[in-house]
């Protein structure tokens, strides 16, 4: 045995000691990681237990099929009375507005409940989701005044939740014109965003500039809140970023279908997103056909979704086929994110997307029954 071999040889007991110390160090690293994980996710234990209970009450395919096959709207309403929607839908409801209002009231209370029981880190985001009902109410009032509806009929269509007090909503319903509604919002956070677009409305006579301005305002607010790095909100960032991408795509597709110029389209888009940066949005807005839009989306997660709908679009010329596929994508994304972070904020996202899709399907079924559509036609409208 040479001198070099003697110098590099380590006694067995020292080797075992080093091995044990290395094992302890690795174990400590794992323990620290687990403690951090538990600290990060422990605040979500209660909310996720509540969500499991709420998820168990979602309508499965069998129940939805029962609703589709129902012989009348009365049957549909009767069925819903035995679900979570029962307290929001009257047995005497026969018109689409009162039933849809009941569904929206239920969803608004879901958001309110989630915001109340969630940890502070998610509360701010869920509070912004609640503001969707401010936007929904303002849009309803604007549309009502656009067609000359009286104050009482207008107020009946509102959801008295959100941040705008009920007495303010009643006051807005008293307005006679769209301009009066916008002026009546002075002092609220929605005043500036609508005032800036009022001249476009007056030139075009179309409410779309005002409605999209409200949507942009809420989504930009959500994006700003999820801009915080290094927290559980990161998973919300992907969800909201992709939600913004989807909204931008819907606007582009809708406007292209109606022959709106690219300059006007760009005014309607949010200049933020997850996978569609401003230069890509400009390229999409300037695309000359649906096929060009598909080509421009190559390499993104949205390429297959849009290309898969082209054939049906060519047959129907309805943008709805794209919108339905994009909505379904968001539900699937919610499920994926829920599995990625099952003990943190993931289940909140998964449940929100599933509940919103359920209500969209219920609205389609209800409208289908009122319009006398067959079960087959309704089924086609709610499935991909």
């Amino acid at each position: 045995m040479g001198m070099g071999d003697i110098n590099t040889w380590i006694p067995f007991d020292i080797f075992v000691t080093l091995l044990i110390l290395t094992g302890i160090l690795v174990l400590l690293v794992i323990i620290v990681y687990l403690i951090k994980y538990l600290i990060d996710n422990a605040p979500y234990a209660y909310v996720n237990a509540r969500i499991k209970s709420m998820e168990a009450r979602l309508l499965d395919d069998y129940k939805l099929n029962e609703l589709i096959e129902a012989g009348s709207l009365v049957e549909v309403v009767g069925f819903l009375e035995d679900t979570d929607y029962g307290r929001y839908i009257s047995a005497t409801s026969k018109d689409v507005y009162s039933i849809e209002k009941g569904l929206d009231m239920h969803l608004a209370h879901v958001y309110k409940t989630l915001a109340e029981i969630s940890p502070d880190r998610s509360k701010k985001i869920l509070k912004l989701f609640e503001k969707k009902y401010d936007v929904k109410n303002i849009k309803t009032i604007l549309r009502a005044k656009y067609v000359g509806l009286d104050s009482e009929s207008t107020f009946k269509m509102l959801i008295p939740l959100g941040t705008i007090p009920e007495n303010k909503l009643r006051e807005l319903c008293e307005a006679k014109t769209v301009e009066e509604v916008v002026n009546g919002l002075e002092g609220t956070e929605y005043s500036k965003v609508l005032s800036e677009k009022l001249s476009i409305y007056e030139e075009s006579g179309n409410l779309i500039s005002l409605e999209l301005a409200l949507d942009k305002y809420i989504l930009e607010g959500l994006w700003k809140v999820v801009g915080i790095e290094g927290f559980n909100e990161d998973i919300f960032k992907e969800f909201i970023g992709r939600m913004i991408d989807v909204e931008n795509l819907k606007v582009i597709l809708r406007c292209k279908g109606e022959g709106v110029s690219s300059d006007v389209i760009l005014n309607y888009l949010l200049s933020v997103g997850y996978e569609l940066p401003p230069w890509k949005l400009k390229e999409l807005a300037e695309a000359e056909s649906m096929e060009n839009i598909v080509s421009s989306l190559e390499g993104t997660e949205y390429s297959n979704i849009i290309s898969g709908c082209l054939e049906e679009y060519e047959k129907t010329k309805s943008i709805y086929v794209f919108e339905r596929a994009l909505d379904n994508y968001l539900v699937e994304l919610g499920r994926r994110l829920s599995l990625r972070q099952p003990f943190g904020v993931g289940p909140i996202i998964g449940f929100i997307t599933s509940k919103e899709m359920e209500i969209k399907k219920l609205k389609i079924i209800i409208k289908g029954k009122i319009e006398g559509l067959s079960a087959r036609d309704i089924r086609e409208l709610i499935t991909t």
Side-chain angles (χ1 to χ4, degrees), residues 226-249:
V226 295
I228 308 158
E229 292 293 335
F231 292 101
N232 259 317
E233 280 83 347
D234 290 349
I235 199 168
F236 257 131
K237 187 170 187 177
E238 178 174 351
F239 176 61
I240 288 162
R242 290 206 178 276
M243 195 165 77
I244 290 169
D245 283 351
V246 163
E247 286 306 311
N248 277 335
L249 277 174

Short mmCIF file of all heavy atoms in Angstrom, two decimals, residues 226-249:
data_model
loop_
_atom_site.label_atom_id
_atom_site.label_comp_id
_atom_site.label_asym_id
_atom_site.label_seq_id
_atom_site.Cartn_x
_atom_site.Cartn_y
_atom_site.Cartn_z
N VAL A 226 -52.28 40.57 -8.46
CA VAL A 226 -51.51 39.33 -8.53
C VAL A 226 -50.08 39.57 -9.00
O VAL A 226 -49.32 38.62 -9.16
CB VAL A 226 -52.18 38.27 -9.46
CG1 VAL A 226 -53.50 37.83 -8.90
CG2 VAL A 226 -52.32 38.77 -10.88
N GLY A 227 -49.68 40.81 -9.16
CA GLY A 227 -48.31 41.12 -9.53
C GLY A 227 -47.32 40.84 -8.42
O GLY A 227 -46.11 40.88 -8.63
N ILE A 228 -47.81 40.54 -7.21
CA ILE A 228 -46.92 40.25 -6.07
C ILE A 228 -46.21 38.93 -6.34
O ILE A 228 -46.85 37.93 -6.66
CB ILE A 228 -47.74 40.12 -4.77
CG1 ILE A 228 -48.63 41.34 -4.57
CG2 ILE A 228 -46.84 39.91 -3.56
CD1 ILE A 228 -49.81 41.08 -3.65
N GLU A 229 -44.89 38.92 -6.20
CA GLU A 229 -44.11 37.70 -6.44
C GLU A 229 -43.86 36.95 -5.13
O GLU A 229 -43.81 37.54 -4.06
CB GLU A 229 -42.77 38.05 -7.09
CG GLU A 229 -42.89 38.59 -8.51
CD GLU A 229 -43.40 37.57 -9.50
OE1 GLU A 229 -43.23 36.37 -9.24
OE2 GLU A 229 -43.97 37.97 -10.51
N GLY A 230 -43.66 35.64 -5.23
CA GLY A 230 -43.19 34.84 -4.11
C GLY A 230 -44.25 34.42 -3.11
O GLY A 230 -43.92 33.96 -2.02
N PHE A 231 -45.53 34.59 -3.45
CA PHE A 231 -46.59 34.16 -2.54
C PHE A 231 -47.48 33.15 -3.24
O PHE A 231 -47.30 32.84 -4.41
CB PHE A 231 -47.42 35.36 -2.08
CG PHE A 231 -46.66 36.31 -1.19
CD1 PHE A 231 -46.14 37.49 -1.71
CD2 PHE A 231 -46.45 36.02 0.14
CE1 PHE A 231 -45.42 38.35 -0.90
CE2 PHE A 231 -45.74 36.88 0.95
CZ PHE A 231 -45.22 38.05 0.43
N ASN A 232 -48.49 32.68 -2.51
CA ASN A 232 -49.47 31.76 -3.11
C ASN A 232 -50.20 32.39 -4.29
O ASN A 232 -50.79 31.71 -5.10
CB ASN A 232 -50.51 31.36 -2.05
CG ASN A 232 -50.21 29.97 -1.50
OD1 ASN A 232 -49.88 29.07 -2.26
ND2 ASN A 232 -50.30 29.82 -0.20
N GLU A 233 -50.16 33.74 -4.35
CA GLU A 233 -50.84 34.43 -5.44
C GLU A 233 -50.24 34.09 -6.80
O GLU A 233 -50.83 34.35 -7.83
CB GLU A 233 -50.76 35.95 -5.24
CG GLU A 233 -51.76 36.50 -4.25
CD GLU A 233 -51.28 36.37 -2.81
OE1 GLU A 233 -50.30 35.63 -2.57
OE2 GLU A 233 -51.90 36.99 -1.93
N ASP A 234 -49.03 33.49 -6.82
CA ASP A 234 -48.40 33.18 -8.10
C ASP A 234 -49.28 32.30 -8.97
O ASP A 234 -49.33 32.45 -10.18
CB ASP A 234 -47.05 32.49 -7.88
CG ASP A 234 -46.01 33.43 -7.31
OD1 ASP A 234 -46.29 34.64 -7.29
OD2 ASP A 234 -44.94 32.97 -6.88
N ILE A 235 -49.99 31.34 -8.35
CA ILE A 235 -50.88 30.46 -9.10
C ILE A 235 -52.09 31.25 -9.58
O ILE A 235 -52.62 31.01 -10.66
CB ILE A 235 -51.27 29.23 -8.26
CG1 ILE A 235 -51.78 28.11 -9.17
CG2 ILE A 235 -52.25 29.54 -7.18
CD1 ILE A 235 -51.92 26.78 -8.46
N PHE A 236 -52.53 32.24 -8.79
CA PHE A 236 -53.58 33.15 -9.23
C PHE A 236 -53.09 33.97 -10.42
O PHE A 236 -53.86 34.31 -11.31
CB PHE A 236 -53.98 34.10 -8.10
CG PHE A 236 -55.27 33.75 -7.41
CD1 PHE A 236 -55.35 33.68 -6.03
CD2 PHE A 236 -56.42 33.50 -8.14
CE1 PHE A 236 -56.55 33.37 -5.40
CE2 PHE A 236 -57.62 33.19 -7.52
CZ PHE A 236 -57.68 33.12 -6.14
N LYS A 237 -51.80 34.30 -10.42
CA LYS A 237 -51.24 35.11 -11.51
C LYS A 237 -51.40 34.40 -12.85
O LYS A 237 -51.80 35.01 -13.85
CB LYS A 237 -49.76 35.42 -11.24
CG LYS A 237 -49.16 36.41 -12.23
CD LYS A 237 -47.80 36.87 -11.79
CE LYS A 237 -47.30 37.98 -12.71
NZ LYS A 237 -46.03 38.54 -12.29
N GLU A 238 -51.08 33.09 -12.86
CA GLU A 238 -51.24 32.34 -14.11
C GLU A 238 -52.72 32.29 -14.51
O GLU A 238 -53.06 32.49 -15.67
CB GLU A 238 -50.69 30.92 -13.97
CG GLU A 238 -50.89 30.12 -15.25
CD GLU A 238 -50.25 28.74 -15.23
OE1 GLU A 238 -49.50 28.43 -14.29
OE2 GLU A 238 -50.51 27.99 -16.19
N PHE A 239 -53.59 32.01 -13.54
CA PHE A 239 -55.01 31.90 -13.82
C PHE A 239 -55.57 33.22 -14.37
O PHE A 239 -56.25 33.24 -15.41
CB PHE A 239 -55.76 31.49 -12.55
CG PHE A 239 -57.26 31.45 -12.72
CD1 PHE A 239 -57.85 30.61 -13.63
CD2 PHE A 239 -58.08 32.28 -11.96
CE1 PHE A 239 -59.23 30.58 -13.80
CE2 PHE A 239 -59.45 32.25 -12.11
CZ PHE A 239 -60.03 31.40 -13.03
N ILE A 240 -55.28 34.32 -13.69
CA ILE A 240 -55.82 35.62 -14.12
C ILE A 240 -55.16 36.08 -15.41
O ILE A 240 -55.81 36.64 -16.30
CB ILE A 240 -55.70 36.66 -12.99
CG1 ILE A 240 -56.71 36.31 -11.89
CG2 ILE A 240 -55.95 38.08 -13.50
CD1 ILE A 240 -56.46 36.93 -10.56
N GLY A 241 -53.85 35.80 -15.56
CA GLY A 241 -53.16 36.13 -16.81
C GLY A 241 -53.78 35.44 -18.00
O GLY A 241 -54.02 36.04 -19.04
N ARG A 242 -54.08 34.15 -17.83
CA ARG A 242 -54.70 33.40 -18.94
C ARG A 242 -56.15 33.82 -19.14
O ARG A 242 -56.66 33.80 -20.26
CB ARG A 242 -54.59 31.90 -18.68
CG ARG A 242 -53.15 31.38 -18.81
CD ARG A 242 -53.08 29.93 -19.19
NE ARG A 242 -51.71 29.47 -19.34
CZ ARG A 242 -50.98 29.60 -20.45
NH1 ARG A 242 -51.50 30.22 -21.51
NH2 ARG A 242 -49.76 29.15 -20.52
N MET A 243 -56.82 34.21 -18.06
CA MET A 243 -58.18 34.72 -18.18
C MET A 243 -58.18 36.00 -19.03
O MET A 243 -59.07 36.21 -19.87
CB MET A 243 -58.74 35.00 -16.78
CG MET A 243 -60.23 35.20 -16.72
SD MET A 243 -60.82 35.10 -15.02
CE MET A 243 -60.33 36.69 -14.41
N ILE A 244 -57.17 36.84 -18.82
CA ILE A 244 -57.04 38.08 -19.61
C ILE A 244 -56.74 37.73 -21.07
O ILE A 244 -57.32 38.32 -21.99
CB ILE A 244 -55.94 39.00 -19.02
CG1 ILE A 244 -56.42 39.59 -17.68
CG2 ILE A 244 -55.56 40.12 -19.99
CD1 ILE A 244 -55.35 40.29 -16.87
N ASP A 245 -55.85 36.76 -21.30
CA ASP A 245 -55.57 36.31 -22.67
C ASP A 245 -56.86 35.88 -23.36
O ASP A 245 -57.12 36.24 -24.51
CB ASP A 245 -54.61 35.10 -22.66
CG ASP A 245 -53.15 35.49 -22.41
OD1 ASP A 245 -52.85 36.69 -22.41
OD2 ASP A 245 -52.34 34.57 -22.22
N VAL A 246 -57.67 35.10 -22.64
CA VAL A 246 -58.93 34.58 -23.20
C VAL A 246 -59.88 35.73 -23.52
O VAL A 246 -60.51 35.75 -24.58
CB VAL A 246 -59.58 33.55 -22.24
CG1 VAL A 246 -61.04 33.32 -22.58
CG2 VAL A 246 -58.81 32.23 -22.30
N GLU A 247 -60.00 36.70 -22.61
CA GLU A 247 -60.88 37.85 -22.85
C GLU A 247 -60.40 38.64 -24.07
O GLU A 247 -61.21 39.07 -24.90
CB GLU A 247 -60.94 38.76 -21.62
CG GLU A 247 -61.77 38.19 -20.48
CD GLU A 247 -63.18 37.81 -20.89
OE1 GLU A 247 -63.87 38.64 -21.53
OE2 GLU A 247 -63.61 36.68 -20.60
N ASN A 248 -59.08 38.84 -24.18
CA ASN A 248 -58.53 39.55 -25.35
C ASN A 248 -58.84 38.79 -26.64
O ASN A 248 -59.22 39.39 -27.65
CB ASN A 248 -57.02 39.73 -25.19
CG ASN A 248 -56.65 40.94 -24.35
OD1 ASN A 248 -57.41 41.90 -24.24
ND2 ASN A 248 -55.48 40.93 -23.75
N LEU A 249 -58.68 37.47 -26.60
CA LEU A 249 -58.98 36.65 -27.78
C LEU A 249 -60.45 36.74 -28.16
O LEU A 249 -60.80 36.85 -29.34
CB LEU A 249 -58.60 35.19 -27.53
CG LEU A 249 -57.13 34.81 -27.75
CD1 LEU A 249 -56.89 33.37 -27.31
CD2 LEU A 249 -56.73 34.98 -29.22
#
